[in-house]
Amino acid sequence: EAEVAQSPRYKITEKSQAVAFWCDPISGHATLYWYRQILGQGPELLVQFQDESVVDDSQLPKDRFSAERLKGVDSTLKIQPAELGDSAMYLCASSLGPGAQGKLFFGEGSRLTVL
Amino acid sequence: QQQVKQSPQSLIVQKGGISIINCAYENTAFDYFPWYQQFPGKGPALLIAIRPDVSEKKEGRFTISFNKSAKQFSLHIMDSQPGDSATYFCAANAGGTSYGKLTFGQGTILTVHP
């Protein structure tokens, strides 16, 4: 069964350092999402791509976070500099597109700990 | 207005019992209500979903009940099994250009004792 691949699974970093997460969506899925899940809470959307274009980044803290999906396939989420409050699970998800409303396939996530 | 409120935070059920998780929303633009199941160390996975034009949807042991006038919906797990032990999230989506933006509840940790 096709899966959304994410790496690294775990990342420990010190505050003010840079960190990057990578995601490879399910083949053929045009839409890619980055969600952040703080421990004990539901995921929250950070950024949504349709192919290589950003559809929604209204909740992305743009002073320190950036995301790209250059060729419309895999994607990278970067945080620079990391802050203590960024400790969370970063989930990548993909879907077929507008016809698959709300039907997202999530990866296993990248757990970030900022010391 | 974008919130989805979920209860209870945690739930303990005996094997064979019924698990019930409730959610409420405010935004009347929401028109798609999925439930996601998350096991430890895994990402959420779509379990079942409903649109507000129906009051109930059943898939196997899982049933969503939807009350449009009260803006509430719930997940019922019949004959609960230890393998159902997971965190369950209700969510809501408004469609249109927000087709992928899910507003999640806080989650319910379900434990099913053998």
Side-chain angles (χ1 to χ4, degrees):
Chain A
E1 182 176 301
E3 295 182 342
V4 175
Q6 288 189 248
S7 67
R9 290 292 312 280
Y10 305 93
K11 179 70 177 179
I12 299 173
T13 190
E14 294 186 345
K15 66 178 183 178
S16 80
Q17 296 298 303
V19 61
F21 304 111
W22 176 81
C23 172
D24 191 15
I26 293 172
S27 178
H29 281 195
T31 312
L32 183 146
Y33 315 81
W34 285 100
Y35 276 77
R36 178 170 60 184
Q37 184 176 21
I38 295 171
L39 191 63
Q41 298 183 19
E44 292 184 303
L45 180 67
L46 291 175
V47 61
Q48 175 181 340
F49 290 92
Q50 179 66 30
D51 299 310
E52 66 274 10
S53 301
V54 173
V55 174
D56 184 348
D57 64 356
S58 58
Q59 300 302 310
L60 188 71
K62 298 180 189 63
D63 56 336
R64 298 184 300 106
F65 285 64
S66 64
E68 59 183 17
R69 193 184 184 197
L70 294 177
K71 296 183 179 179
V73 181
D74 59 341
S75 175
T76 301
L77 177 69
K78 297 178 181 178
I79 308 173
Q80 183 174 15
E83 295 181 353
L84 295 177
D86 296 332
S87 294
M89 176 77 83
Y90 290 83
L91 292 162
C92 180
S94 68
S95 72
L96 285 169
Q101 181 188 5
K103 297 181 177 70
L104 276 58
F105 293 82
F106 284 88
E108 294 190 331
S110 295
R111 180 167 294 284
L112 173 66
T113 301
V114 182
L115 303 176
Chain B
Q1 193 178 17
Q2 291 295 321
Q3 280 187 323
V4 175
K5 296 182 180 179
Q6 182 172 347
S7 63
Q9 281 189 303
S10 63
L11 181 62
I12 298 174
V13 175
Q14 292 297 121
K15 178 182 175 181
I18 302 173
S19 304
I20 302 174
I21 304 170
N22 301 298
C23 287
Y25 64 97
E26 292 291 330
N27 188 351
T28 55
F30 289 144
D31 66 355
Y32 183 77
F33 301 88
W35 285 86
Y36 279 78
Q37 179 188 55
Q38 185 175 28
F39 292 103
K42 302 291 186 181
L46 179 63
L47 185 63
I48 186 173
I50 197 169
R51 294 192 182 277
D53 53 344
V54 297
S55 60
E56 185 174 285
K57 183 173 182 180
K58 183 177 181 179
E59 291 184 0
R61 297 184 293 107
F62 300 90
T63 300
I64 301 178
S65 297
F66 191 88
N67 185 330
K68 187 174 181 179
S69 61
K71 291 186 283 187
Q72 295 175 348
F73 58 110
S74 60
L75 176 69
H76 296 235
I77 306 174
M78 311 300 289
D79 187 25
S80 298
Q81 299 296 313
D84 297 331
S85 297
T87 300
Y88 291 81
F89 293 95
C90 62
N93 177 265
T97 56
S98 300
Y99 61 86
K101 185 173 184 177
L102 292 170
T103 301
F104 283 89
Q106 295 286 84
T108 296
I109 301 172
L110 171 65
T111 303
V112 181
H113 284 158

